[in-house]
Amino acid sequence: MAHADEAALARLLPLLRQLREIKALREMKPGIFYLKGSAFIHFHDDAGALVADLKKTSGGGFDRYPVDAATGQRKLVDDAKRRAARSEED
């Protein structure tokens, strides 16, 4: 599954703005965020449905979030803030 393209990311501008406000994150390419030099959040277009992958706090891998609806976007932002803060404590 390919990363979301520019047109898909344009549908997520308010969400991307919120993620860009998380100080610990660096947006290396549009929609691809890193934390401490490691991939942290990125987006996919899964047959027209937009999803985000957020790095798990332990065990490696990513958790998938549907982000077409506001509830999924809020959950992603909340979890990203929490995980980034936890990483800052380490």
Side-chain angles (χ1 to χ4, degrees), residues 18-78:
Q18 291 179 63
L19 295 173
R20 289 172 182 145
E21 291 176 1
I22 301 172
K23 295 191 185 311
L25 301 185
R26 298 290 169 252
E27 189 173 17
M28 304 304 277
K29 293 182 180 179
I32 301 175
F33 294 85
Y34 276 65
L35 176 69
K36 294 185 174 181
S38 295
F40 188 67
I41 302 171
H42 55 271
F43 296 87
H44 297 282
D45 186 340
D46 186 9
L50 292 176
V51 295
D53 288 342
L54 174 63
K55 189 171 186 172
K56 293 182 179 186
T57 53
S58 63
F62 290 83
D63 290 319
R64 179 149 290 176
Y65 294 74
V67 292
D68 282 325
T71 54
Q73 292 180 16
R74 278 192 300 274
K75 175 115 175 82
L76 173 66
V77 171
D78 290 345

